[in-house]
Amino acid sequence: MGRPRPPRTSRPPQPPRRSRSPRASRPPGTISPSRRSVLGAGLTAGLASAGLAACGSGSGSGSGDRESIVVAIVSNPQMQDAISLIDHFTEQHPDIDVRFVSLPENEARAKITASVASGGGEFDVVMISNYETPLWAPNGWLTDLEPYIAKTDGYQPDDFVPTIKDALTVDGSMYSVPFYGESAFLVYREDLFEEAGLVMPAHPSWDDLRSFASTLHDPEGGMSGIALRGLAGWGENLAPMSTVINTFGGCWFDMEWAPSLDSPEVHDAVSMYVDTLRSYGQPGAATSGFGECLTQFSQGNAAMWFDASSMVSGVENPSSSTVVGKTGYALGPTLETPYAGWLYAWSLAIPETSQKKDAAWEFIAWMTHPDYFQLVGEELGWEALPPGSRLSTYEIPEYAELSENYAEPTLDSMENATQENSMTQEVPYDGLQNVVIPEFQDLGTRVGQQFSAAIAGQKSVDEALEQSQGFAESVARTYGWEG
C-alpha cells in the first residue's frame, strides 16, 4: 500500500519509543500524537483512488419531518439480526428512517474506508473496528461520541469490556462504541478427548495441541485433528498466525522499525503453524477462513479449533451445529508468553461528515445499549447475543446459563489481550493480530498470500518469509528505516 516519499538528505524523526509500562497514559489501541500525521497521510494516500458503489436496503426514504440515515454495516450474522429487529427501533423513533448498506467484510471495509477517508458523506453510521478507530479519529474523520454517551439514559459506558473500551478510545474519548468484541481461544470436542483418555489443560501450549491433534487426526474417518485458518488475508490467516508469531517471541518490526519476518522466532512460528495444518488440519486448509473452519467444527469434522471467541454464536447454536453439548473451551495456545489471543471489536461510529448526527446516535445507542441484548435474547434466542462487548451480557440469567462453559475463557482472553501479556519484546506499533498502521491492510494481504501458498505446498516457508520480509522492508522505509 505504501506512499511516495520525497527525496531527503537526513533521517526523519523516529516515532517515539513505546514504553510497555505506562499504559495509563495511552491505553491499548490509542495512537500517540507524534504519529498521527504519518498515519493519516498514509491512509489518505493509499485510499484516495478507491471506488464507492451504492447498495443496500432500508425502511424507506425520508419525507416531511422524518430523517433518513444511511448505515453501512458488515453482513455478519449479528448485524443481520439487527436488521431483522429494526422495526423495534422505528417504533421508538418514528421520525427516523434507517437505510442499510450491508456488505461482505472485505467489500464493506473498502467502501467505508474510501468514503470516510475522502469525506464523501455517503454514510451517517459506519461499522469499523479497533484497527480503524485510532487511525481515523486523530485525523478528524470521526465524531467524538462522549457528549452523546453522557446524555443517554442507562447507556453504562463503564459496562464495556475494559480492553475493548480502551481500544476504541483516543485522548480520553470514545470515537466508536462496540457492538460485539472478541479475543481468541480454543474449542475442542470433550467427548473425543474423553474417549481417547486426553485431558485439555485450561491453558494449553502449542506442543499440547500438536500432540492432541496427532492422536485425534483420522482423515479416513472424516476427522481432522485441528482446524485453523489458512485463507490469505490480513483479517483471515494472519489473525491466528500473528498470535503464534507473538507467543514464539517474534514480531513484525522491532523498535527501530527494522522488519523482523526473517527472524528465527518468526520462522519457527510459521513453520509450526504450516506443518500443523499440513499434517493434522482440515481438507482445503489453504482456502479455509473463519466460516469454513466454523463449518468444519460445528459439523463434527474437527477435534479442535483455535480462532475468534465469537465462534460460540455458531458452535453453540442448536439449529446449525451438531456438536452442541459436546464442547469444551480453553485459552489460546502459548509458547513463550502468558497469553496468546487477539483483540477485535466491530463497533459503530459517526463520520464527521454526517449531517444527521443526532439521529445517527439514536440508532447507535439503540444497537449498543444494554436493552438491545435483552431484545435479541427474547426475540431471536439467547445464543444469538452479540458477545464480548458488555460485561453485563454475561450476567443475564439465561445467557449466563448458556455460556457457562465459555464465559470465563472469553472474558479471561479479552482481559489479557495486551502486548505485555502476549509478546516478548517492545514494538513501535499497536496491535496483536495486526499492526495498527495504514499500510498493514496491503502488507498483511501480501504476507497472508505467502503464508497461504506455504500451507498449500506451493512454496517453502523459507521462500514465503523471504518474500514477506521484502514487503515489510518497503513499509519500514516509510517509517524511517534505512536498512
Side-chain angles (χ1 to χ4, degrees), residues 43 112-113 115-117 119 123-146 148 167-170 173-177 347-354 357 364:
L43 191 56
I112 291 170
T113 300
S115 175
V116 175
F123 306 128
D124 299 294
V125 177
V126 292
M127 180 156 273
I128 57 175
S129 72
N130 53 311
Y131 171 79
E132 292 89 357
T133 302
L135 292 176
W136 294 4
N139 298 325
W141 297 352
L142 302 177
T143 300
D144 183 351
L145 299 182
E146 289 296 327
Y148 297 94
L168 303 176
T169 296
V170 178
S173 292
M174 295 191 75
Y175 282 82
S176 65
V177 289
S347 60
L348 297 172
I350 302 175
E352 188 62 25
T353 52
S354 172
K357 294 180 181 178
I364 290 176

Side-chain angles (χ1 to χ4, degrees), residues 220-276:
E220 292 185 0
M223 179 64 64
S224 300
I226 191 168
L228 295 167
R229 295 193 213 183
L231 180 66
W234 71 278
E236 283 288 359
N237 61 356
L238 281 191
M241 292 185 80
S242 289
T243 69
V244 179
I245 288 172
N246 292 340
T247 195
F248 271 63
C251 62
W252 284 79
F253 303 95
D254 69 16
M255 286 301 294
E256 302 302 324
W257 284 101
S260 301
L261 295 181
D262 60 353
S263 70
E265 293 83 3
V266 174
H267 186 279
D268 289 348
V270 176
S271 296
M272 186 280 299
Y273 192 95
V274 169
D275 182 70
T276 299

Side-chain angles (χ1 to χ4, degrees), residues 21 41 57 71 91 97 101 138 150 205 210 234-235 248 255 269 321 339 342 348 368 381 400 418 428 453 459:
S21 55
S57 61
V71 177
E91 287 174 6
D97 286 321
V101 175
S205 69
R210 283 176 58 83
W234 71 278
F248 271 63
M255 286 301 294
S321 175
Y339 289 86
W342 66 70
L348 297 172
T368 59
T418 65
K459 60 175 53 181

Side-chain angles (χ1 to χ4, degrees), residues 33-90:
S34 59
R35 290 172 59 198
R36 291 177 183 165
S37 59
V38 174
L39 296 172
L43 191 56
T44 302
L47 295 163
S49 61
L52 181 67
C55 66
S57 61
S59 57
S61 58
S63 61
D65 294 331
R66 298 171 64 82
E67 266 193 307
S68 179
I69 61 171
V70 181
V71 177
I73 63 173
V74 175
S75 53
N76 287 353
Q78 289 88 351
M79 290 67 150
Q80 296 304 308
D81 288 345
I83 294 176
S84 74
L85 295 171
I86 194 62
D87 286 346
H88 292 270
F89 173 79
T90 55

Side-chain angles (χ1 to χ4, degrees), residues 145-185:
L145 299 182
E146 289 296 327
Y148 297 94
I149 292 172
K151 66 181 182 182
T152 302
D153 290 341
Y155 194 69
Q156 304 175 33
D158 291 338
D159 181 39
F160 290 133
V161 172
T163 47
I164 292 292
K165 182 182 179 183
D166 287 346
L168 303 176
T169 296
V170 178
D171 293 339
S173 292
M174 295 191 75
Y175 282 82
S176 65
V177 289
F179 178 55
Y180 78 74
E182 65 184 39
S183 184
F185 60 22

